[in-house]
Amino acid sequence: MPRSWRLRASASGISLLTFSGPAVRAARRRPNRWRSAPTHRRREGWVALAFVAPFLIIFLAYTLLPAVYSLFFSFTDITARDMRNPLNVDVVGLENFANVMTRRDFGQAALNTLIFVILGAGGTITAGLGLALALDALLGRLKTMLRAAFYLPVITNVVAAAMIWQYALAPRGTLDRMLRNLGLESVSWLDSQPWATLAVTALGIWRNMGTAMVIFLAGLQSVPEDVQEAAALDGAGPARRFVSVTLPLLIPTILLVSVLMSTSFMQIFEEVYLLTGGAPVGTTTSLSVWIFQQFGFGNTAVAFTGSFILLALATVINLVQFRLLRSRT
Amino acid sequence: MHSAKRHSVPAVSRALPLLALSTAAIVLLAGCGRADTPNETGGPVSDGPATGTLNIWAGSGEGDVLQAFADTFEVENPDVSVEITVVPQDDMDINLQAAITAGTTPDLTFLYTEGMQSWLATDAFLPVPDGLIDDTIFFPATVENGSIDGTLYTIPWYASTYTLLYRKDIAAAAGVEAPTTWDEYVPFLEALKEQGVDFPTIASTRWNSFTADELRIIVASNGCSLLSDDQAEWALNSDCVVDAAAFWGELFAAELVSTDGPAFLDQAAAFADGALGAYIIGPFAVSWIREASSGEFIEESLGATLVPAGSAGSVSRLSGASWAVFADGQNPDAAWKFAQFMTDVDRQVELYEAFGSPPAIVAAWDEPALDTPELAVQAEQLQSLVLAPQVASWNEVANVIGQQMERVARGLATAQEAMDAAQLEAESIGFGD
């Protein structure tokens, strides 16, 4: 490999090869009159705009404008009945935000969501890293087959998956029958705590661990083989090599997966909606489900307000994680 | 080290988007303000057959049998095309809400009795045109439930109520008669339990609105209401309501009801198996039990009686559905004609035969097809009903009641504590006016 090719570990842990030889550096310094011509820059600008236009249009129509619309109406008393005359509402300032943040059910949903984030993101990272390490040690066709098998939950229809989970965890369901056959007490998996929270979290982990596994597998490729070999020559066993070599080099990847999974579990909806519906006594109702319920009750402004509080919470959590990510890389 | 020249954006350019947003917000704010908007009128309906495309959204269940009626309607109205979209029951509310919000409603749907007032409060539906139907042919409660301030918005389709179904063979073996009062109900269930029945009865702890419906039946039979005497505020922590909630909770404490009871769709099979001894349920359950068992079983084992009585007698709740035409629909004329078509006595009997939903038209109950012991009890119970509170926020308050009742069922709160908490939340929700 020529010296000018450098191996770099990106924030995602994926190796990048960049060319940085002297000729290239000289070319970068050389002024290019033709390229700096304003007409050319304008043309380049239009071409660039044409490329991003499809995304921009969809983003504007389905994300930015609805977000601005809902942010505006979160300061009003709009309800479902006002939707046919949306300007026929009163502006109430920050009243909705004050009301929502003091509501018992919103507080319960926020706490539930925090538990899902901690358990779910932690569990997904552990499961994804464990699978990646196990697969990384394998070779050949078995590795490919297992990688595909563990990734399957990511592309499986969540409704179908949740139905199967529900059938297995329901009273007198598969798991319950197995326990009874073993002479054990049956457990109300979906209707008692802590089992309901654990069941919802487990479904979330099952859905996401394939994504985490793929990212960790890519991250493991950036761990230099020679460092591992040097550690082995120095007498470090597999556990010591993992703790002292692999894990420190994987920290950027772990933080990236942590950001992705925290965001995913902050918005957890399908798992709750399909598996427990929020039971028992609202202890599995997530913020997304709460917002959905408010929308169903016709409390449009309250639902909008809840959405922006969720966005703010997710932003804070992500900012903290990004700060950690930056300091460790 | 060479550094690329940064193109600085003039301060004016940077401020422009902010300025534009602020201006837009001020314009919008200036345009805001509540003003009375007159309700749209629902008529008149044209003479002659229906034409064009008629879009109907139907909840699954009844929706599955609706196509046969639509086919007949198309034969009678050759220039109309009926498009039925069957929506899963659990998703119906959110689909309707989204359609109303986006102004992309179909022409026609049927609304279930329990949430009807909340839906009508959205102003998304047209009043029934004058002279289209004779509303005196229906059970009065169905007309009252579909009206706001005396204006009828829905055309009743089917009507029923909840009665007590019980295993009369197990009751006979236990030496007990069907209970006629709530006081007799507990020893009756205990006797069924002694016969080895897993679940003497069931109560809802998973569907909050159902739980609230169960409470309001007991409350009404005790002669009181979830609203204050002047109907001006919620009265969820009145002594009468708390007593009703406590009675409901004691059934759980005595292990006559379990939070792990059979799920809604498994109840008929559990009843046929003898795992479930008795339950207060609608007439549709009879056809489900029939499917889960043999004809002889119905004859020998199925008993039906009125809901146990309190101090105000036996009271149950109205159940059923009514047709409602969307104000944003494209073909209200055909929608009204289809709703009117479905009020024919023969069609209401056909619906009962196809799905087990009894007619909303009083006279249709005299038809031979409806001459069964279970429907005779239904007909008697339909004379004594309590409607859901006629306020827009009922769905939301019912959800609060259900959540708090679940705490009672699980022994996490006393009835007084739960109803105090429910009252507090209901007061903050108000009536949704």
Side-chain angles (χ1 to χ4, degrees):
Chain A
M1 183 180 287
R3 286 174 59 86
S4 52
W5 288 97
R6 301 280 169 83
L7 189 66
R8 285 187 182 171
S10 73
S12 64
I14 300 167
S15 304
L16 295 176
L17 290 171
T18 54
F19 192 60
S20 57
V24 171
R25 286 196 291 273
R28 279 182 187 157
R29 284 197 295 270
R30 195 180 305 139
N32 186 333
R33 283 181 196 152
W34 187 85
R35 282 177 65 86
S36 63
T39 50
H40 180 72
R41 271 213 305 273
R42 267 205 300 276
R43 196 181 306 137
E44 272 188 338
W46 283 113
V47 171
L49 194 63
F51 275 112
V52 297
F55 166 78
L56 267 184
I57 291 167
I58 292 170
F59 176 76
L60 278 174
Y62 292 103
T63 304
L64 190 64
L65 286 179
V68 170
Y69 176 90
S70 52
L71 178 62
F72 170 76
F73 281 106
S74 67
F75 297 107
T76 70
D77 63 353
I78 193 166
T79 64
R81 73 170 69 180
D82 300 313
M83 282 303 178
R84 298 180 68 235
N85 298 295
L87 292 184
N88 189 20
V89 293
D90 285 334
V91 175
V92 296
L94 293 170
E95 192 179 305
N96 290 325
F97 286 86
N99 287 343
V100 167
M101 289 206 277
T102 53
R103 278 180 67 153
R104 177 197 60 81
D105 52 351
F106 182 82
Q108 170 84 62
L111 177 66
N112 299 341
T113 307
L114 189 65
I115 293 170
F116 288 135
V117 170
I118 293 168
L119 294 179
T124 309
I125 290 167
T126 308
L129 182 57
L131 289 175
L133 286 168
L135 286 179
D136 198 45
L138 293 174
L139 290 172
R141 197 171 287 173
L142 182 64
K143 180 178 178 176
T144 312
M145 276 173 54
L146 287 176
R147 191 171 53 197
F150 289 130
Y151 195 74
L152 265 181
V154 178
I155 54 170
T156 303
N157 182 302
V158 64
V159 179
M163 289 297 111
I164 294 167
W165 277 62
Q166 197 169 53
Y167 184 76
L169 299 174
R172 287 166 293 285
T174 314
L175 205 54
D176 197 29
R177 284 184 197 152
M178 284 168 62
L179 287 177
R180 284 170 189 237
N181 288 341
L182 292 170
L184 299 170
E185 280 283 306
S186 63
V187 175
S188 184
W189 300 105
L190 300 177
D191 219 11
S192 68
Q193 286 295 14
W195 304 114
T197 294
L198 292 177
V200 169
T201 311
L203 179 57
I205 292 172
W206 180 79
R207 275 185 79 192
N208 288 303
M209 67 181 186
T211 305
M213 176 196 72
V214 167
I215 299 172
F216 280 126
L217 272 174
L220 284 170
Q221 308 311 307
S222 69
V223 178
E225 196 66 33
D226 50 353
V227 181
Q228 293 275 19
E229 286 168 3
L233 283 174
D234 287 343
R240 182 62 191 269
R241 285 206 302 276
F242 173 72
V243 172
S244 301
V245 178
T246 311
L247 209 54
L249 289 169
L250 273 183
I251 281 178
T253 315
I254 292 171
L255 285 169
L256 173 80
V257 176
S258 159
V259 169
L260 291 175
M261 293 306 139
S262 302
T263 308
S264 174
F265 278 93
M266 276 295 284
Q267 301 172 59
I268 189 166
F269 178 85
E270 295 100 328
E271 291 87 346
V272 175
Y273 185 72
L274 296 166
L275 218 50
T276 66
V281 205
T283 51
T284 58
T285 302
S286 66
L287 281 174
S288 296
V289 170
W290 185 89
I291 291 163
F292 177 79
Q293 286 172 343
Q294 294 306 314
F295 185 66
F297 293 142
N299 297 333
T300 314
V302 174
F304 287 161
T305 305
S307 303
F308 280 97
I309 295 174
L310 173 60
L311 179 66
L313 289 174
T315 306
V316 169
I317 289 178
N318 283 353
L319 280 176
V320 170
Q321 289 170 319
F322 274 119
R323 178 62 62 89
L324 280 171
L325 180 71
R326 202 163 50 190
S327 66
R328 298 300 176 100
T329 55
Chain B
M1 187 176 167
H2 175 78
S3 65
K5 184 184 174 188
R6 292 174 69 93
H7 296 282
S8 62
V9 182
V12 175
S13 301
R14 273 183 296 177
L16 265 179
L18 197 64
L19 193 69
L21 268 178
S22 309
T23 310
I26 290 165
V27 169
L28 278 170
L29 283 169
C32 285
R34 291 198 176 275
D36 288 336
T37 47
N39 280 338
E40 290 171 64
T41 57
V45 175
S46 69
D47 294 330
T51 58
T53 300
L54 170 61
N55 283 300
I56 302 175
W57 279 10
S60 54
E62 294 91 337
D64 299 329
V65 299
L66 203 56
Q67 189 59 52
F69 295 94
D71 293 343
T72 310
F73 184 69
E74 284 179 335
V75 170
E76 291 184 12
N77 300 266
D79 294 329
V80 78
S81 169
V82 181
E83 305 281 341
I84 298 174
T85 303
V86 178
V87 182
Q89 290 271 3
D90 288 351
D91 299 330
M92 190 64 179
D93 281 7
I94 199 67
N95 275 280
L96 277 183
Q97 192 72 67
I100 291 168
T101 302
T104 55
T105 63
D107 301 303
L108 180 68
T109 191
F110 55 83
L111 301 175
Y112 294 106
T113 308
E114 291 79 3
M116 198 175 292
Q117 284 288 316
S118 295
W119 286 117
L120 295 183
T122 61
D123 292 340
F125 299 94
L126 294 173
V128 178
D130 290 340
L132 184 70
I133 54 158
D134 173 10
D135 62 20
T136 61
I137 64 173
F138 303 106
F139 284 103
T142 62
V143 174
E144 187 186 342
N145 198 52
S147 302
I148 292 182
D149 298 332
T151 302
L152 181 64
Y153 282 83
T154 65
I155 297 181
W157 183 26
Y158 66 85
S160 60
T161 183
Y162 278 36
T163 58
L164 179 67
L165 300 185
Y166 66 100
R167 286 287 300 257
K168 62 182 179 188
D169 53 341
I170 299 175
V176 288
E177 296 282 326
T180 57
T181 65
W182 290 116
D183 289 340
E184 294 173 11
Y185 191 49
V186 173
F188 172 77
L189 296 176
E190 285 170 344
L192 295 183
K193 190 176 180 182
E194 283 169 15
Q195 292 297 306
V197 172
D198 290 341
F199 305 104
T201 189
I202 50 168
S204 165
T205 52
R206 291 294 293 274
W207 288 13
N208 290 329
S209 61
F210 271 51
T211 313
D213 287 334
E214 287 171 3
L215 178 68
R216 66 186 175 86
I217 285 177
I218 305 173
V219 167
S221 68
N222 286 345
C224 48
S225 162
L226 301 178
L227 296 174
S228 60
D229 290 343
D230 60 359
Q231 309 280 300
E233 56 191 352
W234 293 105
L236 303 183
N237 59 349
S238 69
D239 290 345
C240 179
V241 175
V242 171
D243 286 348
F247 173 79
W248 186 85
E250 281 160 14
L251 296 177
F252 287 87
E255 297 184 351
L256 298 171
V257 185
S258 166
T259 53
D260 292 334
F264 184 64
L265 293 176
D266 300 331
Q267 290 165 1
F271 187 81
D273 289 349
L276 173 61
Y279 62 143
I280 294 171
I281 194 74
F284 54 84
V286 176
S287 57
W288 293 7
I289 293 167
R290 188 173 285 122
E291 285 172 16
S293 59
S294 63
E296 291 78 32
F297 174 88
I298 298 287
E299 287 281 318
E300 294 163 9
S301 305
L302 176 64
T305 189
L306 299 179
V307 167
S311 58
S314 170
V315 182
S316 190
R317 66 187 178 95
L318 177 66
S319 182
S322 300
W323 294 102
V325 175
F326 287 95
D328 282 337
Q330 302 298 307
N331 196 351
D333 193 73
W336 287 123
K337 284 174 177 158
F338 186 84
Q340 186 184 34
F341 164 85
M342 294 302 285
T343 60
D344 182 271
V345 169
D346 290 342
R347 277 179 206 112
Q348 298 227 325
V349 173
E350 281 170 30
L351 177 71
Y352 171 72
E353 290 173 332
F355 194 69
S357 298
I361 298 174
V362 180
W365 285 67
D366 296 331
E367 295 292 315
L370 279 80
D371 186 17
T372 71
E374 298 82 35
L375 283 183
V377 176
Q378 278 276 320
E380 188 179 349
Q381 189 76 70
L382 274 166
Q383 306 304 317
S384 179
L385 299 174
V386 58
L387 292 179
Q390 304 290 288
V391 297
S393 62
W394 168 243
N395 277 351
E396 190 174 1
V397 172
N399 187 56
V400 168
I401 293 171
Q403 285 177 348
Q404 293 299 333
M405 294 283 283
E406 190 185 350
R407 294 176 66 213
V408 177
R410 295 180 185 281
L412 301 173
T414 64
Q416 185 71 57
E417 288 166 349
M419 289 300 106
D420 282 345
Q423 173 70 14
L424 209 60
E425 285 197 54
E427 281 174 4
S428 73
I429 293 168
F431 285 173
D433 296 329

